[in-house]
């Protein structure tokens, strides 16, 4: 693999970033510097950490950054659930499916790469 753009997990996480940003456009203005800002940081961290880990040059470092990406993914999903509870989002079913898809891909890649670390 030549670069991180070829990774399905990176591509799926970029699609998720786009979907979350679209939802954030519907939030009340009062949340611009609260939940919106926190959610933006968490969700953009997912593909960013995948890319950074890929660029580190070692499998051990890559796996470390994949774990960080997974943590950010779970953080962002929790924040979307908070937004739903607050009534900012009616349904998060489609987003949850995307979150779960990215999580499965991250878990598979972590498992695969971890088996190569000595």
């Amino acid at each position: 693999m030549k670069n991180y753009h070829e990774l399905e997990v990176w591509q799926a996480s970029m699609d998720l970033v786009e979907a979350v940003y679209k939802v954030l456009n519907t939030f009340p203005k009062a949340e611009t510097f609260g939940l919106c800002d926190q959610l933006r940081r968490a969700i953009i961290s997912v593909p960013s950490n995948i890319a950074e880990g890929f660029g580190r040059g070692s499998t051990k470092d890559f796996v470390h950054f994949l774990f960080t990406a997974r943590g950010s993914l779970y953080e962002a999903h929790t924040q979307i659930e908070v937004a739903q509870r607050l009534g900012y989002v009616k349904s998060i079913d489609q987003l949850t499916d995307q979150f779960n898809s990215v999580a499965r891909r991250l878990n598979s890649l972590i498992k695969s790469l971890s088996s190569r670390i000595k």
Side-chain angles (χ1 to χ4, degrees), residues 2-4 7 48-66 68 113:
K2 294 180 181 179
N3 69 51
Y4 60 88
L7 293 170
S48 298
N49 276 292
I50 295 168
E52 184 173 356
F54 186 91
R56 289 293 174 136
S58 80
T59 302
K60 184 177 179 181
D61 284 342
F62 191 18
V63 169
H64 169 79
F65 279 89
L66 292 174
T68 302
L113 293 174

Side-chain angles (χ1 to χ4, degrees), residues 3-46:
N3 69 51
Y4 60 88
H5 290 96
E6 297 176 34
L7 293 170
E8 288 181 18
V9 68
W10 182 85
Q11 294 167 10
S13 67
M14 289 293 286
D15 292 342
L16 181 57
V17 168
E18 187 178 347
V20 168
Y21 266 66
K22 287 178 181 175
V23 168
L24 286 171
N25 288 332
T26 69
F27 279 32
K29 295 286 183 205
E31 282 298 337
T32 299
F33 299 107
L35 187 57
C36 286
D37 196 39
Q38 186 69 25
L39 184 49
R40 274 188 201 96
R41 278 194 226 110
I43 199 64
I44 199 67
S45 181
V46 179

Side-chain angles (χ1 to χ4, degrees), residues 4 18 25 30 36 49 52 55 58 69 71 75 78 83 85 88 91 93 99 102 107 112 116-118:
Y4 60 88
E18 187 178 347
N25 288 332
C36 286
N49 276 292
E52 184 173 356
S58 80
E75 177 185 0
T78 297
R85 285 181 175 217
Y88 301 157
S91 173
D93 293 344
F99 275 103
V102 172
N107 289 334
S112 172
R116 300 180 196 174
I117 299 172
K118 297 176 183 171

